[in-house]
Amino acid sequence: MNLKIENNLIAGAKVELSSNSSDRNDKIDLIVLHCISLPEGEYNNNYPKDLFLNKLDFKKHPSFESLRDLRVSSHLLINRDGSLIQFVPFNKCAWHAGQSSFEGREDCNKFSIGIELEGTVKESFTDQQYAILNDIIGLLKREYPVKNIVGHSEIAEGRKKDPGPYFEWKRLND
């Protein structure tokens, strides 16, 4: 796929802008990979999107109640079928990392791009997800001085487990 960035957004991606973002002053040099499914292990619904847009109906599932006060987002969500949604322009901080640190720097939101994969730490990801993820990583490396690609578990050790043991790092064209 021939991706390009226009106005800090991936051209052709579906865009659903989240208010869960802030201004960015730091240089982007890190990509953080996550996974999400709501409820866990259930796919092909709008619940992750609704969470990032502060529209999640907490009555839809008992597990959603724990998310009530969260204000989170990611730059991108890659669905199981490889479709892409962008929630935050790259020139802004998405609120994906939470309390985090990488190589002695705190608050990874300031200098990273967060990419969510629709999935769970208990299952494999799809070929379509790896294909578009590789295209996105290539694009981001051309546009920004990205030095590292890490999992959420690496920057929030002990607090987060994603993208989990089923994420195949060797499938990245890094």
Side-chain angles (χ1 to χ4, degrees):
M1 183 180 273
N2 191 12
L3 299 175
K4 63 182 179 175
I5 296 175
E6 294 176 352
N7 298 317
N8 298 295
L9 299 168
I10 295 181
K14 182 177 182 182
V15 176
E16 299 262 0
L17 293 178
S18 173
S19 61
N20 301 333
S21 64
S22 52
D23 290 336
R24 183 191 297 279
N25 297 316
D26 294 47
K27 178 175 62 173
I28 297 166
D29 62 8
L30 181 68
I31 295 172
V32 180
L33 301 179
H34 305 263
C35 67
I36 188 170
S37 56
L38 296 173
E40 186 178 12
E42 291 187 24
Y43 307 124
N44 303 314
N45 61 53
N46 286 324
Y47 297 138
K49 177 182 89 163
D50 291 347
L51 176 66
F52 297 152
L53 298 176
N54 301 322
K55 295 179 180 178
L56 184 62
D57 182 349
F58 302 105
K59 297 178 196 135
K60 292 281 186 184
H61 192 271
S63 67
F64 294 174
E65 189 58 40
S66 66
L67 305 173
R68 183 175 291 279
D69 296 321
L70 283 183
R71 295 292 176 257
V72 297
S73 61
S74 69
H75 289 94
L76 304 169
L77 170 65
I78 302 173
N79 292 305
R80 306 289 288 174
D81 64 2
S83 62
L84 181 64
I85 304 173
Q86 185 157 4
F87 295 98
V88 177
F90 298 124
N91 65 329
K92 296 196 142 260
C93 295
W95 299 347
H96 62 94
Q99 184 178 353
S100 55
S101 67
F102 183 73
E103 294 183 339
R105 296 184 293 166
E106 300 293 318
D107 191 3
C108 295
N109 289 335
K110 292 180 180 178
F111 54 91
S112 68
I113 291 174
I115 301 174
E116 291 275 3
L117 298 163
E118 185 182 29
T120 173
V121 298
K122 299 174 182 175
E123 292 182 86
S124 298
F125 298 91
T126 68
D127 292 340
Q128 296 93 326
Q129 287 176 301
Y130 285 108
I132 189 71
L133 179 60
N134 276 311
D135 289 344
I136 291 166
I137 288 171
L139 172 67
L140 294 174
K141 284 185 163 191
R142 288 189 301 276
E143 294 288 324
Y144 304 104
V146 171
K147 293 186 248 171
N148 294 288
I149 302 167
V150 298
H152 196 188
S153 59
E154 293 176 65
I155 62 166
E157 222 173 307
R159 190 173 67 84
K160 294 294 180 178
K161 297 178 180 174
D162 55 318
Y166 291 96
F167 184 79
E168 297 177 54
W169 289 96
K170 67 183 182 293
R171 292 188 67 176
L172 298 184
N173 296 337
D174 193 29

